[in-house]
PDB file of all heavy atoms in Angstrom:
ATOM      1  N   ASP Z  24      17.873   2.658  43.576  1.00  0.00           N
ATOM      2  CA  ASP Z  24      19.299   2.302  43.563  1.00  0.00           C
ATOM      3  C   ASP Z  24      19.810   2.129  42.136  1.00  0.00           C
ATOM      4  O   ASP Z  24      20.952   2.471  41.834  1.00  0.00           O
ATOM      5  CB  ASP Z  24      19.537   1.009  44.350  1.00  0.00           C
ATOM      6  CG  ASP Z  24      19.276   1.174  45.833  1.00  0.00           C
ATOM      7  OD1 ASP Z  24      19.436   2.306  46.346  1.00  0.00           O
ATOM      8  OD2 ASP Z  24      18.903   0.178  46.477  1.00  0.00           O
ATOM      9  N   ALA Z  25      18.964   1.587  41.263  1.00  0.00           N
ATOM     10  CA  ALA Z  25      19.371   1.354  39.878  1.00  0.00           C
ATOM     11  C   ALA Z  25      19.674   2.669  39.165  1.00  0.00           C
ATOM     12  O   ALA Z  25      20.731   2.818  38.554  1.00  0.00           O
ATOM     13  CB  ALA Z  25      18.288   0.576  39.132  1.00  0.00           C
ATOM     14  N   TYR Z  26      18.755   3.632  39.227  1.00  0.00           N
ATOM     15  CA  TYR Z  26      19.032   4.870  38.503  1.00  0.00           C
ATOM     16  C   TYR Z  26      20.105   5.697  39.200  1.00  0.00           C
ATOM     17  O   TYR Z  26      20.882   6.391  38.548  1.00  0.00           O
ATOM     18  CB  TYR Z  26      17.765   5.667  38.166  1.00  0.00           C
ATOM     19  CG  TYR Z  26      17.060   6.385  39.275  1.00  0.00           C
ATOM     20  CD1 TYR Z  26      17.546   7.576  39.805  1.00  0.00           C
ATOM     21  CD2 TYR Z  26      15.843   5.908  39.758  1.00  0.00           C
ATOM     22  CE1 TYR Z  26      16.866   8.245  40.801  1.00  0.00           C
ATOM     23  CE2 TYR Z  26      15.153   6.583  40.743  1.00  0.00           C
ATOM     24  CZ  TYR Z  26      15.670   7.753  41.269  1.00  0.00           C
ATOM     25  OH  TYR Z  26      14.993   8.414  42.254  1.00  0.00           O
ATOM     26  N   LYS Z  27      20.191   5.594  40.519  1.00  0.00           N
ATOM     27  CA  LYS Z  27      21.256   6.308  41.230  1.00  0.00           C
ATOM     28  C   LYS Z  27      22.627   5.756  40.796  1.00  0.00           C
ATOM     29  O   LYS Z  27      23.561   6.511  40.531  1.00  0.00           O
ATOM     30  CB  LYS Z  27      21.059   6.154  42.739  1.00  0.00           C
ATOM     31  CG  LYS Z  27      21.999   6.999  43.573  1.00  0.00           C
ATOM     32  CD  LYS Z  27      21.580   7.025  45.037  1.00  0.00           C
ATOM     33  CE  LYS Z  27      21.825   5.690  45.683  1.00  0.00           C
ATOM     34  NZ  LYS Z  27      21.598   5.683  47.138  1.00  0.00           N
ATOM     35  N   PHE Z  28      22.723   4.431  40.710  1.00  0.00           N
ATOM     36  CA  PHE Z  28      23.964   3.797  40.263  1.00  0.00           C
ATOM     37  C   PHE Z  28      24.322   4.252  38.845  1.00  0.00           C
ATOM     38  O   PHE Z  28      25.461   4.654  38.576  1.00  0.00           O
ATOM     39  CB  PHE Z  28      23.831   2.268  40.301  1.00  0.00           C
ATOM     40  CG  PHE Z  28      24.961   1.551  39.630  1.00  0.00           C
ATOM     41  CD1 PHE Z  28      26.174   1.373  40.282  1.00  0.00           C
ATOM     42  CD2 PHE Z  28      24.827   1.054  38.346  1.00  0.00           C
ATOM     43  CE1 PHE Z  28      27.225   0.720  39.667  1.00  0.00           C
ATOM     44  CE2 PHE Z  28      25.876   0.399  37.721  1.00  0.00           C
ATOM     45  CZ  PHE Z  28      27.075   0.239  38.379  1.00  0.00           C
ATOM     46  N   ALA Z  29      23.357   4.193  37.920  1.00  0.00           N
ATOM     47  CA  ALA Z  29      23.618   4.582  36.532  1.00  0.00           C
ATOM     48  C   ALA Z  29      24.016   6.053  36.441  1.00  0.00           C
ATOM     49  O   ALA Z  29      24.957   6.403  35.725  1.00  0.00           O
ATOM     50  CB  ALA Z  29      22.392   4.313  35.668  1.00  0.00           C
ATOM     51  N   ASN Z  30      23.326   6.912  37.184  1.00  0.00           N
ATOM     52  CA  ASN Z  30      23.613   8.344  37.115  1.00  0.00           C
ATOM     53  C   ASN Z  30      24.982   8.689  37.689  1.00  0.00           C
ATOM     54  O   ASN Z  30      25.669   9.578  37.200  1.00  0.00           O
ATOM     55  CB  ASN Z  30      22.532   9.135  37.856  1.00  0.00           C
ATOM     56  CG  ASN Z  30      21.189   9.071  37.153  1.00  0.00           C
ATOM     57  OD1 ASN Z  30      21.096   8.676  35.998  1.00  0.00           O
ATOM     58  ND2 ASN Z  30      20.144   9.453  37.860  1.00  0.00           N
ATOM     59  N   ARG Z  31      25.393   7.983  38.725  1.00  0.00           N
ATOM     60  CA  ARG Z  31      26.681   8.296  39.365  1.00  0.00           C
ATOM     61  C   ARG Z  31      27.855   7.607  38.704  1.00  0.00           C
ATOM     62  O   ARG Z  31      28.974   8.104  38.760  1.00  0.00           O
ATOM     63  CB  ARG Z  31      26.629   7.922  40.847  1.00  0.00           C
ATOM     64  CG  ARG Z  31      25.707   8.827  41.616  1.00  0.00           C
ATOM     65  CD  ARG Z  31      25.712   8.530  43.074  1.00  0.00           C
ATOM     66  NE  ARG Z  31      24.830   9.452  43.784  1.00  0.00           N
ATOM     67  CZ  ARG Z  31      24.553   9.362  45.048  1.00  0.00           C
ATOM     68  NH1 ARG Z  31      25.094   8.399  45.781  1.00  0.00           N
ATOM     69  NH2 ARG Z  31      23.746  10.222  45.613  1.00  0.00           N
ATOM     70  N   SER Z  32      27.627   6.454  38.104  1.00  0.00           N
ATOM     71  CA  SER Z  32      28.740   5.702  37.513  1.00  0.00           C
ATOM     72  C   SER Z  32      28.895   5.954  36.023  1.00  0.00           C
ATOM     73  O   SER Z  32      29.969   5.759  35.474  1.00  0.00           O
ATOM     74  CB  SER Z  32      28.536   4.198  37.729  1.00  0.00           C
ATOM     75  OG  SER Z  32      27.459   3.716  36.925  1.00  0.00           O
ATOM     76  N   GLY Z  33      27.809   6.353  35.347  1.00  0.00           N
ATOM     77  CA  GLY Z  33      27.846   6.500  33.897  1.00  0.00           C
ATOM     78  C   GLY Z  33      27.747   5.165  33.174  1.00  0.00           C
ATOM     79  O   GLY Z  33      27.894   5.103  31.965  1.00  0.00           O
ATOM     80  N   ILE Z  34      27.501   4.094  33.926  1.00  0.00           N
ATOM     81  CA  ILE Z  34      27.378   2.758  33.330  1.00  0.00           C
ATOM     82  C   ILE Z  34      25.918   2.513  32.987  1.00  0.00           C
ATOM     83  O   ILE Z  34      25.039   2.659  33.821  1.00  0.00           O
ATOM     84  CB  ILE Z  34      27.902   1.673  34.299  1.00  0.00           C
ATOM     85  CG1 ILE Z  34      29.398   1.887  34.545  1.00  0.00           C
ATOM     86  CG2 ILE Z  34      27.634   0.276  33.732  1.00  0.00           C
ATOM     87  CD1 ILE Z  34      29.970   0.969  35.611  1.00  0.00           C
ATOM     88  N   GLU Z  36      22.415   0.488  31.791  1.00  0.00           N
ATOM     89  CA  GLU Z  36      21.720  -0.665  32.341  1.00  0.00           C
ATOM     90  C   GLU Z  36      20.728  -1.215  31.329  1.00  0.00           C
ATOM     91  O   GLU Z  36      20.298  -0.512  30.416  1.00  0.00           O
ATOM     92  CB  GLU Z  36      20.968  -0.273  33.611  1.00  0.00           C
ATOM     93  CG  GLU Z  36      21.878   0.201  34.696  1.00  0.00           C
ATOM     94  CD  GLU Z  36      21.133   0.604  35.952  1.00  0.00           C
ATOM     95  OE1 GLU Z  36      19.909   0.799  35.928  1.00  0.00           O
ATOM     96  OE2 GLU Z  36      21.797   0.715  36.976  1.00  0.00           O
ATOM     97  N   ALA Z  67      12.767  11.012  33.470  1.00  0.00           N
ATOM     98  CA  ALA Z  67      12.926  11.971  34.562  1.00  0.00           C
ATOM     99  C   ALA Z  67      13.989  11.517  35.554  1.00  0.00           C
ATOM    100  O   ALA Z  67      14.671  12.355  36.163  1.00  0.00           O
ATOM    101  CB  ALA Z  67      11.585  12.165  35.285  1.00  0.00           C
ATOM    102  N   ASN Z  68      14.175  10.218  35.723  1.00  0.00           N
ATOM    103  CA  ASN Z  68      15.090   9.707  36.743  1.00  0.00           C
ATOM    104  C   ASN Z  68      16.513   9.457  36.249  1.00  0.00           C
ATOM    105  O   ASN Z  68      17.467   9.645  37.003  1.00  0.00           O
ATOM    106  CB  ASN Z  68      14.543   8.410  37.351  1.00  0.00           C
ATOM    107  CG  ASN Z  68      13.309   8.646  38.185  1.00  0.00           C
ATOM    108  OD1 ASN Z  68      13.153   9.685  38.802  1.00  0.00           O
ATOM    109  ND2 ASN Z  68      12.417   7.680  38.192  1.00  0.00           N
ATOM    110  N   PHE Z  69      16.648   9.008  35.024  1.00  0.00           N
ATOM    111  CA  PHE Z  69      17.979   8.685  34.505  1.00  0.00           C
ATOM    112  C   PHE Z  69      18.590   9.902  33.828  1.00  0.00           C
ATOM    113  O   PHE Z  69      17.944  10.564  33.009  1.00  0.00           O
ATOM    114  CB  PHE Z  69      17.913   7.525  33.508  1.00  0.00           C
ATOM    115  CG  PHE Z  69      17.731   6.180  34.153  1.00  0.00           C
ATOM    116  CD1 PHE Z  69      16.468   5.691  34.423  1.00  0.00           C
ATOM    117  CD2 PHE Z  69      18.826   5.408  34.494  1.00  0.00           C
ATOM    118  CE1 PHE Z  69      16.281   4.460  35.022  1.00  0.00           C
ATOM    119  CE2 PHE Z  69      18.663   4.168  35.091  1.00  0.00           C
ATOM    120  CZ  PHE Z  69      17.388   3.698  35.362  1.00  0.00           C
ATOM    121  N   THR Z  70      19.838  10.197  34.159  1.00  0.00           N
ATOM    122  CA  THR Z  70      20.538  11.325  33.549  1.00  0.00           C
ATOM    123  C   THR Z  70      20.747  11.099  32.061  1.00  0.00           C
ATOM    124  O   THR Z  70      20.641  12.018  31.262  1.00  0.00           O
ATOM    125  CB  THR Z  70      21.898  11.546  34.243  1.00  0.00           C
ATOM    126  OG1 THR Z  70      21.659  11.738  35.643  1.00  0.00           O
ATOM    127  CG2 THR Z  70      22.620  12.740  33.681  1.00  0.00           C
ATOM    128  N   TRP Z  71      21.031   9.849  31.665  1.00  0.00           N
ATOM    129  CA  TRP Z  71      21.296   9.503  30.268  1.00  0.00           C
ATOM    130  C   TRP Z  71      20.332   8.406  29.806  1.00  0.00           C
ATOM    131  O   TRP Z  71      20.744   7.269  29.563  1.00  0.00           O
ATOM    132  CB  TRP Z  71      22.731   9.053  30.089  1.00  0.00           C
ATOM    133  CG  TRP Z  71      23.722  10.081  30.495  1.00  0.00           C
ATOM    134  CD1 TRP Z  71      24.097  11.205  29.807  1.00  0.00           C
ATOM    135  CD2 TRP Z  71      24.479  10.107  31.710  1.00  0.00           C
ATOM    136  NE1 TRP Z  71      25.007  11.922  30.516  1.00  0.00           N
ATOM    137  CE2 TRP Z  71      25.276  11.268  31.701  1.00  0.00           C
ATOM    138  CE3 TRP Z  71      24.543   9.265  32.817  1.00  0.00           C
ATOM    139  CZ2 TRP Z  71      26.121  11.603  32.744  1.00  0.00           C
ATOM    140  CZ3 TRP Z  71      25.389   9.602  33.852  1.00  0.00           C
ATOM    141  CH2 TRP Z  71      26.172  10.753  33.805  1.00  0.00           C
ATOM    142  N   PRO Z  72      19.050   8.718  29.637  1.00  0.00           N
ATOM    143  CA  PRO Z  72      18.096   7.670  29.240  1.00  0.00           C
ATOM    144  C   PRO Z  72      18.378   7.086  27.861  1.00  0.00           C
ATOM    145  O   PRO Z  72      18.014   5.942  27.590  1.00  0.00           O
ATOM    146  CB  PRO Z  72      16.738   8.370  29.291  1.00  0.00           C
ATOM    147  CG  PRO Z  72      17.036   9.820  29.185  1.00  0.00           C
ATOM    148  CD  PRO Z  72      18.391  10.003  29.804  1.00  0.00           C
TER     149      PRO Z  72
END
Side-chain angles (χ1 to χ4, degrees):
D24 293 332
Y26 73 76
K27 187 168 71 173
F28 170 80
N30 292 345
R31 291 184 179 174
S32 70
I34 297 173
E36 298 179 344
N68 291 328
F69 284 88
T70 303
W71 301 283

